[in-house]
Amino acid sequence: MFRTIGRLRRRLQGGGLEFHYIGTSDPHRFSEFAAIEDITIRHGFKDAAGMAATLAAAHAGILTSEFEGMPRFVLETLAVGRPVVAVHLPQLESVIHDGESGFLVARDESAEDMADVLAQRFLDVRDAVDAGEMDPARIAGAISDFTPGMQLARVFRYHQEIQKARGMMVAPSAY
């Protein structure tokens, strides 16, 4: 992540790049952080409203994890209409669509090569946003299946199916 932002900084030579680091872990434990520390705004812990406000003011999100479930950060970023550039994780295919809601970058043996590709994808995002090709409403729509209403409805349906299979289904009129 820090290596990618460093590469992006070099490509944007004119400045104007800010990296917003949200979280309580100390980025100084990574040697690559030193190269971007002066353009980093460290936010620390953010509640849901704070995350939404911070992400809505950002240009794009980045995720370079090697392994995760469905990352909440990605859902939060897309929900406020901001694209995400991420290292490919299979579960992200359902919400990050290349050129529409961000870009997924294939894993590479070389961390240096991956950082270059990720940085280029951020430039592609910038250009697509400027050209109106990445629309905040369409980006937010990429997670429609992951909204609380959809997820809770799915969980409720699963519970109903389990109850029905066990012969425990209560008639709706009993509620």
Side-chain angles (χ1 to χ4, degrees):
M1 177 171 50
F2 303 135
R3 186 178 291 131
T4 297
I5 299 303
R7 297 283 166 80
L8 184 58
R9 180 185 202 178
R10 284 193 293 274
R11 290 184 184 192
L12 291 173
Q13 296 173 357
L17 179 64
E18 291 180 348
F19 178 65
H20 293 259
Y21 187 81
I22 302 170
T24 56
S25 67
D26 184 3
H28 291 100
R29 63 191 169 127
F30 300 98
S31 60
E32 299 90 353
F33 179 67
I36 65 163
E37 184 172 8
D38 63 316
I39 61 166
T40 299
I41 298 160
R42 293 181 59 197
H43 294 276
F45 172 79
K46 292 272 188 178
D47 62 11
M51 282 291 290
T54 302
L55 293 172
H59 190 79
I62 182 172
L63 183 76
T64 58
S65 296
E66 301 257 341
F67 174 80
E68 294 217 22
M70 175 55 83
R72 198 169 81 196
F73 168 76
V74 170
L75 297 177
E76 291 168 327
T77 304
L78 295 171
V80 297
R82 297 299 179 261
V84 175
V85 176
V87 172
H88 182 269
L89 295 171
Q91 59 273 29
L92 296 178
E93 293 173 2
S94 65
V95 294
I96 298 178
H97 307 108
D98 283 353
E100 294 177 26
S101 56
F103 289 98
L104 292 175
V105 173
R107 294 190 182 285
D108 192 307
E109 293 298 316
S110 165
E112 298 299 324
D113 290 346
M114 277 185 48
D116 282 334
V117 174
L118 287 161
Q120 180 57 52
R121 286 307 195 184
F122 274 105
L123 295 173
D124 295 342
V125 162
R126 178 199 59 190
D127 294 344
V129 168
D130 289 349
E133 296 166 3
M134 283 190 179
D135 173 67
R138 280 196 329 264
I139 292 169
I143 64 154
S144 60
D145 287 345
F146 292 90
T147 61
M150 291 292 287
Q151 291 297 307
L152 292 173
R154 186 175 294 137
V155 169
F156 182 71
R157 191 172 56 253
Y158 291 152
H159 281 279
Q160 283 183 316
E161 290 171 7
I162 291 167
Q163 287 178 339
K164 187 175 180 181
R166 291 179 177 168
M168 300 169 55
M169 188 66 177
V170 178
S173 60
Y175 295 111

